[in-house]
Amino acid sequence: MLRLIGSLSFIWLLMATSTMAQTWPPPVLDADGQPLRSGVEYYVLPAVTDLAGGLTLVNLNNGSICPLFVGQEPLAPVVSPGTSVIFTPRVADTVIRETRDFTVAFTGPTICQSTAWMVGEQNPETSTRYILAETDPNPSSNAWHFNIVKNDLGLYNFQWCPNCLTEVCPRPLCGDAGIVVENERRLLVLDGPAFPFIFRRA
């Protein structure tokens, strides 16, 4: 009888462990094969080399500096890795996981109010949504919550498709993040071809 109870307990523990493992998506890996960690600085670099540099803040405004937009360093003889970022999971965790929401912000001070990424309004001429750094993240808004997905080639894409944490949360118009060139500036936008990135620890 005791042996039967022990066997049943082992089977239950095995099933519970298997169920828990299935509920946690795999971690996003950096260029060295290590999980992306919350609060650690990383450079976001193109997965395809010889295209441009890393992601950084770009000024698109005439006369006004703020808000700043998320863009990409241009291709140059010495390619810049851009400005490092910090990822913060929406739900308490120590690593960044595939398909799980997080906020992302550039490190270092600027003259603008915030360096946290957010989704801006749709451009009526191009039907794209720019990603910019405008205000500090609002926990009740989905505009700041991004996630990372792996494409068919095993490379990582940014996506804006926030997970609803309440039953009344309306599903947003999801989009993959890609690069467009406007006025010789490379900008990160939604609603276009996805652009793959890698993450290198700063």
Side-chain angles (χ1 to χ4, degrees):
M1 183 68 176
L2 290 177
R3 181 177 298 178
L4 177 60
I5 293 174
S7 299
L8 291 174
S9 298
F10 175 76
I11 292 173
W12 179 86
L13 180 62
L14 186 63
M15 291 176 62
T17 303
S18 175
T19 301
M20 290 177 63
Q22 292 176 6
T23 61
W24 289 97
V28 177
L29 303 181
D30 65 18
D32 296 319
Q34 300 300 312
L36 248 61
R37 298 204 167 272
S38 172
V40 175
E41 295 185 25
Y42 294 92
Y43 292 115
V44 182
L45 304 167
V48 181
T49 59
D50 300 329
L51 286 179
L55 295 185
T56 189
L57 288 165
V58 176
N59 179 16
L60 283 185
N61 303 292
N62 296 320
S64 175
I65 296 177
C66 301
L68 295 171
F69 291 74
V70 179
Q72 195 175 22
E73 294 280 5
L75 187 63
V78 179
V79 179
S80 170
T83 306
S84 60
V85 301
I86 289 178
F87 299 98
T88 304
R90 188 176 188 180
V91 178
D93 198 350
T94 58
V95 300
I96 305 301
R97 299 181 183 276
E98 294 179 25
T99 71
R100 288 291 179 91
D101 289 351
F102 57 79
T103 57
V104 53
F106 288 108
T107 60
T110 72
I111 61 174
C112 296
Q113 185 176 358
S114 173
T115 60
W117 297 14
M118 69 171 291
V119 177
E121 297 294 328
Q122 189 174 55
N123 185 326
E125 297 180 0
T126 61
S127 298
T128 59
R129 289 168 288 177
Y130 298 98
I131 298 174
L132 60 153
E134 187 170 21
T135 56
D136 289 325
N138 179 350
S140 63
S141 171
N142 284 325
W144 286 267
H145 295 119
F146 297 84
N147 55 63
I148 294 173
V149 295
K150 186 178 288 185
N151 63 23
D152 294 338
L153 299 177
L155 302 175
Y156 292 116
N157 300 131
F158 282 107
Q159 185 184 65
W160 185 72
C161 197
N163 296 304
C164 291
L165 298 183
T166 66
E167 294 181 0
V168 296
C169 170
R171 196 64 175 169
L173 179 62
C174 300
D176 294 314
I179 298 292
V180 298
V181 180
E182 292 186 7
N183 298 323
E184 299 182 353
R185 293 182 176 90
R186 299 178 65 85
L187 303 172
L188 189 66
V189 301
L190 297 179
D191 313 309
F195 190 93
F197 292 97
I198 61 172
F199 312 96
R200 189 175 299 281
R201 193 161 179 164

